[in-house]
Amino acid sequence: MAKKHRHYGKRFTILLAALFVISFLVLWSLFISGPNRIYEEITNKTINTIEKEVENIEGLTSHQFDYLTYQGYTEETLYWFDATGKEITTRDIGTLDYDKARKTAQDSYGIEADSVQLGYGYDNPVYEIRGSGKLLLLDYDTLVRVYEREAR
């Protein structure tokens, strides 16, 4: 006697589709949203540590080069912090000179600066300059090139 083929129907198909959607959402929350939430939590913890350490700090930004650092300032001082919120170095705010960094990038390296921001190079604070299709890091104190490459 031949086996009779069984047909399951629409209810079973809907059940399988629902299981697929639920499985997809669970996996997405674990493997995509989970790491983002962890990263945000670590970042917020570091920022809170910095804000407790330095009262009235403003303009906190992060910079990723050789490793992750944070930069900020008060009325008198520029600060650089590591990824845990520990102070790396400071400079007097009067030493900040974006115009001189732009001019050095143009005159010495032929790069017309679209943006200039503070960052941290291998061992020192830097000006990060983007422009003319390039990324240039100039040492904060000497304005000597620390790193240069084509921008992505």
Side-chain angles (χ1 to χ4, degrees), residues 121-134:
Y122 296 109
D123 298 316
N124 298 322
V126 295
Y127 291 101
E128 179 186 276
I129 299 168
R130 292 181 183 268
S132 303
K134 295 191 177 198

Side-chain angles (χ1 to χ4, degrees), residues 29-80:
S29 68
L30 291 174
F31 293 109
I32 296 174
S33 298
N36 283 339
R37 286 189 201 131
I38 292 170
Y39 176 77
E40 287 173 6
E41 185 178 318
I42 291 169
T43 300
N44 289 337
K45 183 179 177 186
T46 302
I47 289 172
N48 289 336
T49 300
I50 292 168
E51 288 173 341
K52 286 177 187 172
E53 186 77 25
V54 180
E55 279 189 35
N56 302 323
I57 193 158
E58 298 177 44
L60 273 174
T61 59
S62 63
H63 181 256
Q64 179 77 42
F65 178 62
D66 198 25
Y67 41 86
L68 179 66
T69 59
Y70 293 87
Q71 296 70 233
Y73 60 89
T74 62
E75 288 183 15
E76 300 171 353
T77 309
L78 296 167
Y79 294 89
W80 284 265

Side-chain angles (χ1 to χ4, degrees), residues 7-152:
H7 297 284
Y8 290 99
K10 288 183 183 180
R11 282 189 209 164
F12 188 69
T13 303
I14 291 171
L15 176 66
L16 286 177
L19 286 173
F20 173 76
V21 169
I22 290 169
S23 299
F24 179 78
L25 292 174
V26 167
L27 290 174
W28 179 51
S29 68
L30 291 174
F31 293 109
I32 296 174
S33 298
N36 283 339
R37 286 189 201 131
I38 292 170
Y39 176 77
E40 287 173 6
E41 185 178 318
I42 291 169
T43 300
N44 289 337
K45 183 179 177 186
T46 302
I47 289 172
N48 289 336
T49 300
I50 292 168
E51 288 173 341
K52 286 177 187 172
E53 186 77 25
V54 180
E55 279 189 35
N56 302 323
I57 193 158
E58 298 177 44
L60 273 174
T61 59
S62 63
H63 181 256
Q64 179 77 42
F65 178 62
D66 198 25
Y67 41 86
L68 179 66
T69 59
Y70 293 87
Q71 296 70 233
Y73 60 89
T74 62
E75 288 183 15
E76 300 171 353
T77 309
L78 296 167
Y79 294 89
W80 284 265
F81 302 91
D82 67 11
T84 64
K86 181 181 171 201
E87 185 179 299
I88 300 171
T89 190
T90 63
R91 298 290 189 277
D92 185 85
I93 200 155
T95 61
L96 183 63
D97 195 346
Y98 288 120
D99 292 334
K100 189 173 181 182
R102 284 179 187 275
K103 185 168 177 22
T104 301
Q106 176 67 44
D107 296 347
S108 300
Y109 305 102
I111 297 174
E112 184 70 38
D114 295 330
S115 69
V116 180
Q117 61 184 12
L118 294 177
Y120 200 82
Y122 296 109
D123 298 316
N124 298 322
V126 295
Y127 291 101
E128 179 186 276
I129 299 168
R130 292 181 183 268
S132 303
K134 295 191 177 198
L135 167 67
L136 175 67
L137 299 183
L138 295 178
D139 182 273
Y140 182 86
D141 300 312
T142 64
L143 296 178
V144 172
R145 178 179 54 202
V146 172
Y147 181 81
E148 181 179 352
R149 70 167 167 81
E150 297 295 318
R152 294 181 192 181

